[in-house]
Amino acid sequence: MPSYRIHIEGQVQGVGFRPYVYRMAKRLGLKGWVSNGNDGVHIQLSGFEGTCTLFMQELFHQPPPLARITSIHFDLVEDPGLRDFTIAESSSDELPKLVVTPDLGLCEDCRKEMRDNSNRRSGYAFTTCVNCGPRYSIIRTLPYDRINTSMHRFTMCPACEQEYRAPFDRRYFSQTNSCATCGVQLTLRLRDGAIESTDPVVILDRIICSLNEGKIVAVKGIGGYLLMVDATNPEVVSLLRQRKHRPAKPFAVLYPNMVAAQSDLDLSEQEIKALTSSEAPIVLAKLDSRGQSRLALTQIAPGLDWLGVMLPYAPILQWLADAWKGPLIATSGNVSGSPIFYRDKDAFEHLGEIADLFISNNREIVVP
């Protein structure tokens, strides 16, 4: 019976590649293993020749949706006599040669769970799966495994561990897997860094009240701090410009959902596709010609009839936007001309003169 060693390069870590290979191999009755390495993914495969060929063709032409394969190398080797297919321990023996997966926007499955009061992740502001969540911003070293990320400090509870070990669960081998019981915790801080609350319910109520009062809120996102204000309040948008020393450059607007965005904007199919993609970019869009928007347009984008818009790309932003229900300014947490602040200490020190409240968390951002 033939046996192959396969080496796959590209964006193949942090995209559910190993679980995908495992499920396909089990479905086809193949034996062997799959593992991560510093240079991609490695597979040992044994089975009938036609089945092995089918496996390789299917893997190349129908990889996981978020994977980007740049090359596949395979060699015929001696059959080691393996009796099952497994996910093997990762190796770091190879020289680093890997396309690091970027942070991925919140997927629809996780979004639905956050909004489902009967789901155990209802309202959890850091939910993820193999299809979404932080990758690049939390990696300390390769290969991409939980132990090599800032998620290492969070030990999975029994329920999360069960998902992580279940081959047909979308959180199978999800390195960022967590929930409110075992995962990332929010902290509400005042301008001087003093802790006011760690209760998510209290924190959310305080944020909404503060936004209604025309306050500026700093929120720790996936890759750094964001400054957020009510996008319909011209006074607070002007105050944000003054404190941030940003006299004219347009601000981006965060909408809670597509329906809310379409109430203000003429969005094309291409723009909708971009907004809802896993990349979740800021998209330049044309304002609705009917002119019914409540946005503080003069203060947000002076002299322009185009707007930079986005949908919540991180669960913490979805959690906040769902409660607010309207448009928010979501701009980088920095002073004009400086990099975005991503370390808590630096944010409290340098954004204290801009933000009235800070929403931080205990997951370290490794790469801003």
Side-chain angles (χ1 to χ4, degrees):
M1 188 173 292
S3 186
Y4 297 90
R5 287 295 300 268
I6 307 169
H7 175 209
I8 304 172
E9 296 179 303
Q11 183 177 298
V12 292
Q13 294 187 16
V15 293
F17 207 96
R18 288 176 296 176
Y20 183 87
V21 167
Y22 172 89
R23 287 190 288 265
M24 182 162 49
K26 295 291 281 186
R27 172 168 54 85
L28 295 174
L30 297 167
K31 315 301 180 185
W33 49 259
V34 58
S35 72
N36 277 345
N38 280 351
D39 57 349
V41 169
H42 295 267
I43 302 170
Q44 172 82 46
L45 196 68
S46 299
F48 294 110
E49 186 172 353
T51 309
C52 290
T53 300
L54 178 62
F55 172 93
M56 287 185 273
Q57 289 176 340
E58 189 171 331
L59 183 62
F60 186 78
H61 294 292
Q62 295 179 306
L66 299 174
R68 302 290 182 269
I69 294 175
T70 57
S71 67
I72 296 182
H73 307 276
F74 61 92
D75 296 296
L76 189 63
V77 296
E78 185 177 346
D79 185 358
L82 299 172
R83 296 184 178 183
D84 200 358
F85 197 91
T86 61
I87 295 180
E89 185 177 342
S90 297
S91 167
S92 57
D93 297 337
E94 306 84 5
L95 291 174
K97 185 184 179 184
L98 185 68
V99 177
V100 179
T101 302
D103 298 325
L104 302 169
L106 181 65
C107 73
E108 282 306 308
D109 288 328
C110 285
R111 200 185 312 272
K112 288 175 183 176
E113 288 178 346
M114 287 185 66
R115 292 168 169 170
D116 181 359
N117 291 332
S118 65
N119 191 282
R120 72 186 189 91
R121 288 188 174 85
S122 173
Y124 178 52
F126 303 93
T127 186
T128 67
C129 69
V130 295
N131 299 317
C132 68
R135 302 290 192 270
Y136 178 76
S137 63
I138 62 171
I139 292 177
R140 298 187 190 281
T141 186
L142 298 174
Y144 175 72
D145 284 305
R146 192 180 183 102
I147 195 171
N148 294 329
T149 74
S150 56
M151 286 299 297
H152 178 51
R153 63 174 296 183
F154 303 101
T155 301
M156 283 183 279
C157 65
C160 285
E161 183 73 27
Q162 184 177 15
E163 293 169 333
Y164 184 81
R165 300 297 177 187
F168 294 96
D169 194 293
R170 80 173 196 281
R171 292 189 169 92
Y172 181 49
F173 264 71
S174 173
Q175 304 304 314
T176 53
N177 196 28
S178 67
C179 69
T181 301
C182 61
V184 187
Q185 296 178 330
L186 287 166
T187 303
L188 171 64
R189 296 177 183 267
L190 303 178
R191 297 177 76 171
D192 61 3
I195 296 176
E196 182 171 301
S197 179
T198 57
D199 183 335
V201 176
V202 173
I203 291 173
L204 188 59
D205 182 66
R206 183 83 155 83
I207 295 172
I208 300 306
C209 288
S210 296
L211 291 170
N212 274 315
E213 293 168 359
K215 303 292 186 182
I216 300 172
V217 180
V219 179
K220 185 179 180 180
I222 290 181
Y225 275 82
L226 295 173
L227 295 169
M228 307 187 76
V229 300
D230 177 3
T232 68
N233 184 332
E235 287 78 19
V236 72
V237 179
S238 295
L239 179 62
L240 178 61
R241 287 198 176 281
Q242 177 187 333
R243 290 184 180 178
K244 193 173 160 67
H245 306 300
R246 183 169 169 166
K249 188 178 179 181
F251 286 130
V253 178
L254 174 77
Y255 284 93
N257 51 57
M258 187 59 70
V259 173
Q262 289 177 312
S263 68
D264 284 339
L265 306 159
D266 286 324
L267 293 171
S268 67
E269 288 186 14
Q270 183 181 11
E271 289 162 349
I272 292 172
K273 184 178 180 180
L275 284 167
T276 56
S277 69
S278 63
E279 291 83 1
I282 295 174
V283 173
L284 281 177
K286 190 79 171 176
L287 289 163
D288 193 313
S289 57
R290 292 172 295 180
Q292 297 177 337
S293 172
R294 294 173 51 243
L295 292 171
L297 291 171
T298 301
Q299 291 75 25
I300 294 172
L304 302 176
D305 55 2
W306 289 75
L307 201 61
V309 298
M310 57 180 162
L311 297 181
Y313 57 85
I316 190 170
L317 298 181
Q318 190 68 69
W319 173 74
L320 198 161
D322 281 349
W324 177 251
K325 295 183 173 60
L328 289 161
I329 298 298
T331 188
S332 56
N334 64 345
V335 179
S336 184
S338 75
I340 188 170
F341 295 113
Y342 67 100
R343 294 189 180 93
D344 296 334
K345 180 178 180 296
D346 293 337
F348 301 146
E349 179 180 349
H350 296 286
L351 299 180
E353 296 181 359
I354 301 177
D356 300 295
L357 282 178
F358 287 82
I359 313 304
S360 62
N361 65 71
N362 61 340
R363 182 176 65 200
E364 182 187 359
I365 298 171
V366 179
V367 185

